[in-house]
Amino acid sequence: MEMLLSTKGITICLFFFVLSLAAAIEIPLSVAQLPTITEQSHAQVAYPFDEDFTIKCEARGNPQPTFNWTKDGKPFDLLSDPRIVPSNNSGTFVIQNRGIITNFQGKYRCFASNLLGTAMSEEIELIVPSVPKFPKEKIEPLDVEHGDSVILHCNPPKGIPPLHIYWMNIDLQHIPQDERVSMSLKGDLYFANVEENDSRSDYCCFAAFPRLRTIVQKMPMTLKVSRSNFIKERKPKLLIPPESAGSSSSVTVIKGGVLLLECIAEGLPTPHLSWVKVTGNLPKDEPETENFGKILKIDQVTAADEGTYQCTASNPMGRAKHEFHVHVEEPPRWVKEPEGGVYSVGTNLVLLCEAIGNPEPTIQWKLNGMPIDSRTFRGRISAREISLTNLQLQDSAVYQCEASNKHGTILASANVNVLNIAPLILTSDGENYATVVGYSAFLHCEIFASPAADIRWTKDDSIEPLSTLRYELNKNGTLEIKETKKEDSGSYACWAANSVGKRAITANLDIRDATKLVVTPKNPRVLKSHSILLKCQSEYDSHLKHSFKLSWRKDGDELPVNSTEDGRIILDRDTLFISSVMLEDQGVYTCVASTSLDSVTAESQLIVLDVPDPPEDLQLSENQNRSVRLSWKAGANHNSPINESIIEFEENRWEPGRWQELTRTPGNDTTTLLSLAPYMNYQFRVVSVNAVGRSPPSKPSLRYATPPAAPDKNPENIRVEASEPNEMVMKWEPLKPAERNGPGLEYKVSWRQRGVEADWNEEMVKKHSLILRNTPTFVPYEIKVQAVNNLGSGPEPNVTIGYSGEDVPDAAPSGVSVDIVNSTLVKVFWFGIPRDRVRGHLRGYKVSWWKTKSMLDGKRHHPEKHFLTFVGDRNYGMIPGLEPFSEFRLTVLAYNAKGDGPESSPVVFETPEGVPEQPHFLRILNFDKDSVTLSWGLPKKANGHLTGYILQYQIINETHEIGPLNDVSVTNRSTLSWRLSGLSSSTKYKFYVKACTVKGCGKPVTEEGLTMAQGTYAGIYDGISTQGWFIGLMCAIALLTLLLLTICFVRRNKGGKYSVKEKEDLHPDPEAQSIKDEIFGEYSDSDEKPLKGSLQSINGDIKATESADSLVDYGEGEHGMFNEDGSFIGAYSGSKEKGSVESTGSSTATFPLHA
């Protein structure tokens, strides 16, 4: 904390003026002093159910006061009755409630006396009530005639107020009261005029005294009402006040009390009561009336209520009046009370006493409880003042001033203590004080002295009094050191002296470091439902660590340790965690750090961000046919400004209950002009948007209906869809409900054949399509569609060109020829059909082919057709996936949306020889230490005349490293086994066998095996090979091997040890490689991936895809995928011979062989 003054090491002087402490400090009890009444009773009721009654009178003084009592102005001996129990060293006594205690009723006064004087209490009235009872009496029945006035008197017994009176029947049901029948303030029941149904024998008056816990009942009264021979109509007559009181009366009310003025009248018809104030100022508030207007009531009466009030009772026969002259009086109250104090010898005394009241109170002075005799009193005395000069010790006394009028008496006492004593320092010597830097330090030196003492403070060993602006001496002798510094620590002395003597005390002051606080984060902004952690970082003096405390407040109110029942707000010493922040969590959070010497606070204002509250008070104005102004009041934005408002609408004519966005307005706008569509019954709502999100929608506005109008637009997306050859189906998008603009929406469809018809054909339809029959096949038409409703037509429509129904083409392509590309691929050429023979939109051409015979064996085949489609107007296409060394026939046709046209004449072509498929199997028959015998099967498809086989082998190991490849050429195509020698013993090899034609060799079949260790099983193999147990063992091994082969085959298909890429790198297929280079290289991403864009469609046709531009030479068909070598993959529909190379058993997987 910053210090305003930083002087150090210098002597600071301050002159202190003399202070009078006489009235500021209570006289210590160790000093002789007059008695002072400290506690006394006031008016008291001796209830019969209480066990005893305490009359209090306590006083202090030195010497200890003695006590006397008076009752009704006469001395009262507390020992005069054994039921009185006095208290020791006190004037208080207790009256026990035994026997008859009415003799204790009266007004008591307590006197406390010692050698210096006498103090007197105010009067204490003790009321001893009697038990209220109604007298036993016989009440004669009242016989009256219909229309007479009657008074049933209650005359309740006396008792302690308040008194509540009730009129009830014997069943304790209240007698109904109204303008005709009512009860007066005294409790009597008045009938302005009686009716026959007033007759009853159980009119009972009940008087309740709540303070006495008593209810008493008067004897039942009987009222008999007989029918009168004539109607006794008469003008009103006042029963309260009675006529004997005259036309006016005086009423006195105490200021601050309640004024009750009562008028009750009799007459027939029943009179009505009214009140006016005749003179004086009217009350600020309309006077209150009670009891059906018969009582005027004014609470808290003031002088302004004084004046003349008039009540008027009226009926059709006349009226009666009475005036009340209201006088406001008040009991005495002090204007100036006499003030006592401590006075030194030789000083002067003036006591003032002034009171007001109505009537004006009389003032009486008393000295030590006795009236002052002006003849013997040495000072001056008047009604309002007493004065004495040159006071002496014997002038010490208690002066009493008593003010009285008829409404009460008040008493004020003044103790005049004339003393002559040396200073008495009430503060203990050697007190230790501490404060923190920057705070004020207060060193106490409470002194009592008469005459008044001079006070001065010194520091450490200095004898010079302290004096600068930082030092201030308070009236009670306390030294205040403002904005303390570390150098203010030390020892201080307080010196007090007067003419009688001198005293001093010392005090020690320590200055501690001030406590510091910081709350982080400062003024965070948090989204609703998120969490926030407030941290209170503090520094404080190490001497104060035992008294250091931290607490949290929100908006000035203390936060309890468990702020919420659900534990959402958690206080943990210096941290405040709020989870799932709510809007009500917003506010100023204050960390309060307190020690025994200081208290500091640090604040952080938590700002909670949330979506806005929904807008309110939606109003519509400026109503037009196609617009209306919408205004609203924005809801609370929850600390994030509203960016925009979204106006939504709902209409109940077409889409009831569906809200749609209409427009948006900037955030500050709360009004906008809305553009509307005709023939809609709108209601609107508004959604406010701020950075947090969208508010809930407002409540909907009133509905607003726009009048109908002709359409503003025509249907869109007019088109002709596929239909029969001799008809045309015209369709369009219908108008949306908001676009109809009125009732009776229809569409006027106009059409004519382009270039043929000059006039338009027209037809009105209600749906959004129209079918024309007997139209020429595939000719252009001009079409228009216009929206029409009951109020008119839409704008002139645009013309759309559409074609009538298509038919299949009626001509076949000509000039079909085939170029052989390789053994599996050919290129087909043709001449397209004329445009007029298409009879529709040309979709493309379809090439069909089928195998007729194999060139290898000459066998003829059952024709199974395959086809590919070529989209668009083109004259060639590539046919892949053909079987090598075979004869085929091929046709071409054109097709449109309606279907296929006639086929061309078949063209015969032959495919050349190709590379064979892989051998059917490869087996290792015999293992030796340096040789092995291989056996293999013929390839499933030779694809030409076999010329022989290529055997290859290489060493492999468990780390998948591959050794050099060794080749063996088998030129005899009939050879299906071969013995390899010169192998290394105990070595794992991989063997490859592939078949060859003049076009090259096909894919290899592979197998792996391990040669035998040198000498293993040598010489015994031949002997045991014929044993039965050995044969069984071999069968078990074979089964196990088959199981392992199956597992490895599955794993190989999921990804084996060697990729296709590795195989091809090791054993390239010359024909397949040439095909790739010639045709497919540009279409494949890599040698391992099939061509893109060859996906099979649901109907079996291969549709063009995004890669179709790369396959422009290839048609779409049932099989659109290619092998790694470019050969066509897929089973043609109905074909038994698959177009792909099928792998067999062990031919494609790598298997270990256990010797």
Side-chain angles (χ1 to χ4, degrees):
M1 188 175 292
E2 294 184 0
M3 303 300 298
L4 297 180
L5 296 174
S6 58
T7 55
K8 182 177 180 181
I10 61 172
T11 303
I12 307 171
C13 297
L14 174 66
F15 174 75
F16 290 108
F17 51 88
V18 176
L19 298 173
S20 174
L21 304 177
I25 300 178
E26 194 174 82
I27 304 174
L29 276 177
S30 59
V31 177
Q33 57 186 282
L34 291 163
T36 301
I37 301 293
T38 57
E39 185 180 7
Q40 72 160 84
S41 297
H42 298 281
Q44 188 168 342
V45 177
Y47 295 110
F49 42 79
D50 289 338
E51 293 183 359
D52 51 45
F53 322 106
T54 300
I55 309 296
K56 289 185 178 180
C57 180
E58 302 291 340
R60 62 177 177 83
N62 187 3
Q64 176 69 32
T66 58
F67 296 88
N68 305 278
W69 285 89
T70 61
K71 177 174 177 284
D72 298 325
K74 298 178 181 178
F76 178 70
D77 186 1
L78 298 183
L79 302 178
S80 62
D81 193 302
R83 292 174 293 180
I84 299 176
V85 181
S87 301
N88 294 329
N89 300 320
S90 169
T92 299
F93 63 92
V94 177
I95 302 174
Q96 296 177 338
N97 191 359
R98 300 201 309 265
I100 300 174
I101 60 172
T102 53
N103 58 310
F104 288 112
Q105 180 164 304
K107 295 182 179 180
Y108 294 80
R109 195 186 290 271
C110 173
F111 295 86
S113 305
N114 65 11
L115 295 176
L116 301 178
T118 300
M120 179 178 69
S121 73
E122 296 179 2
E123 282 190 337
I124 305 169
E125 183 177 9
L126 177 63
I127 302 171
V128 183
S130 59
V131 177
K133 294 180 180 179
F134 277 105
K136 292 184 178 181
E137 56 183 335
K138 183 179 180 181
I139 303 174
E140 296 294 331
L142 286 175
D143 292 318
V144 294
E145 290 185 347
H146 185 282
D148 289 345
S149 68
V150 173
I151 303 174
L152 299 182
H153 296 283
C154 180
N155 298 324
K158 294 182 180 180
I160 299 296
L163 167 63
H164 301 297
I165 299 176
Y166 308 95
W167 282 90
M168 294 185 286
N169 58 23
I170 201 68
D171 295 327
L172 299 181
Q173 294 178 338
H174 287 274
I175 302 298
Q177 297 188 30
D178 51 24
E179 274 196 326
R180 186 178 65 84
V181 181
S182 61
M183 184 180 70
S184 69
L185 291 173
K186 291 183 178 180
D188 297 335
L189 190 63
Y190 284 79
F191 295 80
N193 52 77
V194 294
E195 299 174 354
E196 289 186 40
N197 57 8
D198 293 328
S199 296
R200 62 187 316 132
S201 59
D202 57 353
Y203 283 96
C204 300
C205 178
F206 291 84
F209 299 89
R211 295 177 67 185
L212 295 176
R213 306 175 190 174
T214 301
I215 299 177
V216 293
Q217 175 190 345
K218 189 179 178 74
M219 295 296 291
M221 288 176 269
T222 300
L223 176 63
K224 297 179 180 179
V225 181
S226 58
R227 184 173 298 177
S228 175
N229 293 329
F230 59 92
I231 299 175
K232 297 182 179 181
E233 288 188 343
R234 60 193 179 278
K235 68 178 184 178
K237 174 185 176 184
L238 289 175
L239 303 177
I240 296 179
E243 285 189 338
S244 59
S247 61
S248 65
S249 57
S250 294
V251 177
T252 299
V253 62
I254 301 298
K255 183 179 179 181
V258 180
L259 172 64
L260 295 173
L261 302 179
E262 183 178 36
C263 278
I264 298 180
E266 62 93 4
L268 188 68
T270 301
H272 173 73
L273 272 296
S274 61
W275 294 86
V276 295
K277 187 174 184 182
V278 179
T279 63
N281 297 324
L282 289 171
K284 291 181 180 179
D285 300 321
E286 187 69 22
E288 178 185 353
T289 59
E290 295 180 350
N291 198 20
F292 311 101
K294 299 175 184 180
I295 296 175
L296 177 70
K297 180 180 180 181
I298 300 177
D299 291 314
Q300 296 294 321
V301 171
T302 65
D305 295 318
E306 199 167 67
T308 300
Y309 295 81
Q310 178 180 277
C311 75
T312 302
S314 58
N315 68 6
M317 307 303 295
R319 63 183 57 195
K321 298 181 180 180
H322 187 86
E323 290 184 348
F324 296 91
H325 302 292
V326 176
H327 303 281
V328 178
E329 297 184 352
E330 63 175 320
R333 58 186 176 90
W334 293 117
V335 175
K336 181 69 176 178
E337 295 184 57
E339 297 180 359
V342 177
Y343 298 85
S344 56
V345 174
T347 59
N348 299 327
L349 168 69
V350 175
L351 297 178
L352 301 177
C353 182
E354 184 178 353
I356 60 173
N358 190 4
E360 185 178 349
T362 58
I363 303 294
Q364 182 183 21
W365 287 95
K366 293 183 179 180
L367 180 64
N368 293 326
M370 302 298 294
I372 297 177
D373 187 352
S374 57
R375 295 172 297 176
T376 59
F377 184 63
R378 77 176 186 89
R380 296 178 58 188
I381 182 170
S382 67
R384 288 184 173 81
E385 182 180 311
I386 282 182
S387 61
L388 280 171
T389 58
N390 192 22
L391 288 174
Q392 300 299 313
L393 294 176
Q394 59 270 25
D395 289 325
S396 294
V398 181
Y399 290 83
Q400 290 100 6
C401 177
E402 204 168 44
S404 305
N405 67 9
K406 65 179 181 179
H407 299 298
T409 300
I410 55 177
L411 175 69
S413 297
N415 287 14
V416 177
N417 289 278
V418 183
L419 301 175
N420 193 43
I421 60 173
L424 180 62
I425 300 181
L426 306 178
T427 302
S428 300
D429 189 17
E431 287 281 355
N432 294 314
Y433 298 92
T435 189
V436 296
V437 173
Y439 278 64
S440 293
F442 296 90
L443 309 183
H444 301 297
C445 186
E446 188 176 357
I447 295 174
F448 181 81
S450 182
D454 294 332
I455 302 173
R456 63 188 179 92
W457 283 85
T458 61
K459 183 176 184 295
D460 296 331
D461 296 331
S462 173
I463 60 173
E464 295 296 326
L466 299 172
S467 73
T468 60
L469 294 177
R470 287 202 308 117
Y471 296 95
E472 182 175 328
L473 183 64
N474 297 330
K475 289 185 178 180
N476 59 2
T478 297
L479 174 66
E480 179 183 356
I481 307 174
K482 299 177 181 180
E483 298 179 355
T484 55
K485 307 174 183 179
K486 280 286 190 179
E487 52 265 30
D488 290 326
S489 297
S491 178
Y492 291 80
C494 174
W495 302 84
N498 65 4
S499 58
V500 183
K502 183 177 182 180
R503 295 285 190 277
I505 61 169
T506 60
N508 300 310
L509 177 62
D510 288 322
I511 306 297
R512 309 295 189 196
D513 290 327
T515 305
K516 298 177 182 179
L517 279 186
V518 175
V519 175
T520 56
K522 186 70 172 177
N523 302 335
R525 299 168 69 87
V526 182
L527 289 175
K528 181 185 175 185
S529 301
H530 285 219
S531 300
I532 181 65
L533 177 68
L534 296 179
K535 177 78 172 177
C536 185
Q537 300 171 343
S538 59
E539 294 181 8
Y540 53 89
D541 194 289
S542 59
H543 296 86
L544 305 176
K545 64 180 180 179
H546 296 296
S547 65
F548 179 77
K549 293 180 180 179
L550 272 180
S551 61
W552 289 89
R553 295 176 186 166
K554 179 181 181 290
D555 297 330
D557 297 327
E558 187 85 14
L559 278 176
V561 175
N562 293 322
S563 296
T564 56
E565 294 181 0
D566 56 1
R568 197 173 53 79
I569 300 179
I570 301 174
L571 298 180
D572 185 11
R573 292 182 58 83
D574 59 346
T575 60
L576 170 62
F577 179 73
I578 307 176
S579 61
S580 299
V581 171
M582 304 171 69
L583 291 175
E584 54 264 31
D585 295 328
Q586 179 167 298
V588 177
Y589 288 83
T590 306
C591 178
V592 182
S594 59
T595 65
S596 57
L597 297 181
D598 66 345
S599 177
V600 293
T601 62
E603 295 180 349
S604 181
Q605 183 173 10
L606 174 61
I607 300 172
V608 180
L609 307 177
D610 194 12
V611 299
D613 285 342
E616 300 175 341
D617 193 21
L618 272 63
Q619 300 291 333
L620 299 177
S621 60
E622 301 179 21
N623 302 350
Q624 301 294 328
N625 288 348
R626 294 208 180 190
S627 67
V628 70
R629 180 167 293 280
L630 176 66
S631 304
W632 64 91
K633 291 181 181 177
N637 63 16
H638 297 307
N639 303 306
S640 179
I642 295 175
N643 301 326
E644 63 177 354
S645 296
I646 303 173
I647 292 86
E648 298 177 338
F649 75 93
E650 180 266 351
E651 53 82 27
N652 60 5
R653 192 185 305 277
W654 307 109
E655 296 178 285
R658 179 171 177 256
W659 287 93
Q660 305 174 61
E661 182 175 325
L662 180 60
T663 187
R664 298 191 178 206
T665 62
N668 294 330
D669 293 348
T670 56
T671 181
T672 185
L673 190 64
L674 303 178
S675 296
L676 308 179
Y679 197 53
M680 303 276 276
N681 193 16
Y682 288 97
Q683 66 175 346
F684 307 99
R685 70 184 187 187
V686 183
V687 176
S688 297
V689 183
N690 64 7
V692 181
R694 296 169 58 133
S695 74
S698 68
K699 293 181 179 178
S701 69
L702 297 176
R703 287 206 173 267
Y704 181 68
T706 54
D712 293 326
K713 63 179 295 187
N714 293 313
E716 297 175 347
N717 192 20
I718 300 169
R719 62 200 181 277
V720 175
E721 293 190 349
S723 59
E724 295 302 319
N726 289 51
E727 68 180 20
M728 183 169 63
V729 180
M730 295 176 285
K731 292 187 177 182
W732 55 88
E733 294 295 331
L735 293 185
K736 297 177 182 177
E739 298 169 343
R740 299 187 178 192
N741 286 11
L745 177 69
E746 291 183 305
Y747 300 101
K748 183 172 75 172
V749 184
S750 305
W751 71 93
R752 65 184 179 187
Q753 190 173 341
R754 187 177 187 184
V756 177
E757 297 176 296
D759 297 331
W760 290 92
N761 304 287
E762 295 182 351
E763 185 170 337
M764 300 293 291
V765 296
K766 292 185 178 179
K767 54 186 181 179
H768 53 281
S769 65
L770 176 63
I771 301 176
L772 295 183
R773 305 188 189 279
N774 302 319
T775 60
T777 301
F778 198 65
V779 295
Y781 279 83
E782 294 179 339
I783 304 169
K784 297 190 299 185
V785 181
Q786 186 177 32
V788 180
N789 65 17
N790 292 349
L791 283 86
S793 302
E796 181 64 27
N798 297 323
V799 176
T800 301
I801 304 300
Y803 285 81
S804 58
E806 298 183 35
D807 203 348
V808 296
D810 60 359
S814 61
V816 178
S817 62
V818 176
D819 283 353
I820 304 299
V821 177
N822 58 37
S823 61
T824 61
L825 178 68
V826 298
K827 188 172 185 179
V828 183
F829 297 90
W830 63 88
F831 295 117
I833 65 174
R835 185 70 185 164
D836 58 340
R837 305 296 295 276
V838 177
R839 301 204 290 180
H841 295 287
L842 178 65
R843 293 290 185 88
Y845 291 88
K846 185 181 297 183
V847 178
S848 300
W849 72 94
W850 61 97
K851 180 179 177 181
T852 55
K853 70 177 180 179
S854 170
M855 303 298 293
L856 186 62
D857 55 13
K859 290 182 180 179
R860 303 199 67 83
H861 287 258
H862 178 73
E864 280 192 50
K865 279 192 174 184
H866 313 282
F867 66 92
L868 283 176
T869 58
F870 297 89
V871 179
D873 189 5
R874 55 188 295 170
N875 59 1
Y876 70 94
M878 303 292 285
I879 308 298
L882 301 175
E883 291 187 31
F885 211 42
S886 301
E887 180 185 87
F888 291 89
R889 296 198 175 205
L890 177 146
T891 62
V892 183
L893 61 83
Y895 70 95
N896 59 18
K898 199 64 181 176
D900 296 342
E903 291 183 304
S904 66
S905 299
V907 173
V908 179
F909 67 92
E910 295 177 357
T911 55
E913 288 188 61
V915 296
E917 294 183 2
Q918 66 185 43
H920 190 60
F921 63 86
L922 173 62
R923 296 191 183 100
I924 304 173
L925 297 181
N926 292 305
F927 268 103
D928 205 345
K929 61 181 180 181
D930 59 355
S931 63
V932 66
T933 301
L934 301 178
S935 176
W936 61 88
L938 291 170
K940 186 176 180 182
K941 291 184 179 180
N943 293 335
H945 299 289
L946 292 178
T947 59
Y949 298 91
I950 297 296
L951 275 62
Q952 296 172 311
Y953 61 95
Q954 62 188 157
I955 296 174
I956 61 174
N957 57 31
E958 297 302 327
T959 60
H960 309 307
E961 293 181 1
I962 300 173
L965 192 65
N966 301 288
D967 293 350
V968 176
S969 178
V970 180
T971 57
N972 186 353
R973 63 183 179 182
S974 300
T975 301
L976 296 177
S977 64
W978 194 269
R979 183 169 185 81
L980 294 174
S981 58
L983 304 180
S984 300
S985 61
S986 301
T987 302
K988 189 174 185 180
Y989 284 87
K990 186 168 185 178
F991 304 97
Y992 309 84
V993 176
K994 51 187 176 182
C996 302
T997 66
V998 293
K999 289 293 185 179
C1001 299
K1003 290 186 178 181
V1005 60
T1006 65
E1007 183 61 283
E1008 295 176 5
L1010 185 67
T1011 58
M1012 298 173 63
Q1014 187 171 2
T1016 304
Y1017 305 115
I1020 65 171
Y1021 180 78
D1022 293 336
I1024 65 174
S1025 61
T1026 58
Q1027 301 297 318
W1029 63 268
F1030 180 74
I1031 296 173
L1033 177 61
M1034 290 298 103
C1035 291
I1037 292 173
L1039 290 175
L1040 180 59
T1041 302
L1042 180 62
L1043 177 62
L1044 292 174
L1045 288 174
T1046 304
I1047 295 173
C1048 292
F1049 178 74
V1050 172
R1051 294 185 60 190
R1052 178 74 171 185
N1053 286 343
K1054 294 183 179 178
K1057 295 181 180 179
Y1058 307 103
S1059 67
V1060 173
K1061 176 68 175 175
E1062 288 176 359
K1063 295 178 185 178
E1064 293 183 348
D1065 290 343
L1066 291 172
H1067 317 290
D1069 186 333
E1071 182 175 351
Q1073 186 64 40
S1074 66
I1075 294 174
K1076 288 186 189 178
D1077 296 340
E1078 181 181 350
I1079 302 171
F1080 298 102
E1082 62 181 298
Y1083 305 128
S1084 177
D1085 292 338
S1086 75
D1087 290 338
E1088 293 183 51
K1089 296 182 180 179
L1091 292 176
K1092 294 182 179 179
S1094 302
L1095 301 179
Q1096 187 171 357
S1097 66
I1098 295 175
N1099 61 6
D1101 292 342
I1102 302 299
K1103 302 298 182 182
T1105 67
E1106 56 189 314
S1107 299
D1109 55 342
S1110 299
L1111 298 173
V1112 67
D1113 292 345
Y1114 299 90
E1116 296 180 345
E1118 299 160 315
H1119 316 288
M1121 297 182 68
F1122 298 87
N1123 233 334
E1124 295 93 337
D1125 60 357
S1127 59
F1128 190 70
I1129 298 177
Y1132 303 108
S1133 60
S1135 175
K1136 295 180 181 178
E1137 296 182 273
K1138 303 294 183 180
S1140 65
V1141 178
E1142 294 186 354
S1143 301
T1144 61
S1146 64
S1147 62
T1148 58
T1150 302
F1151 302 104
L1153 182 67
H1154 301 283

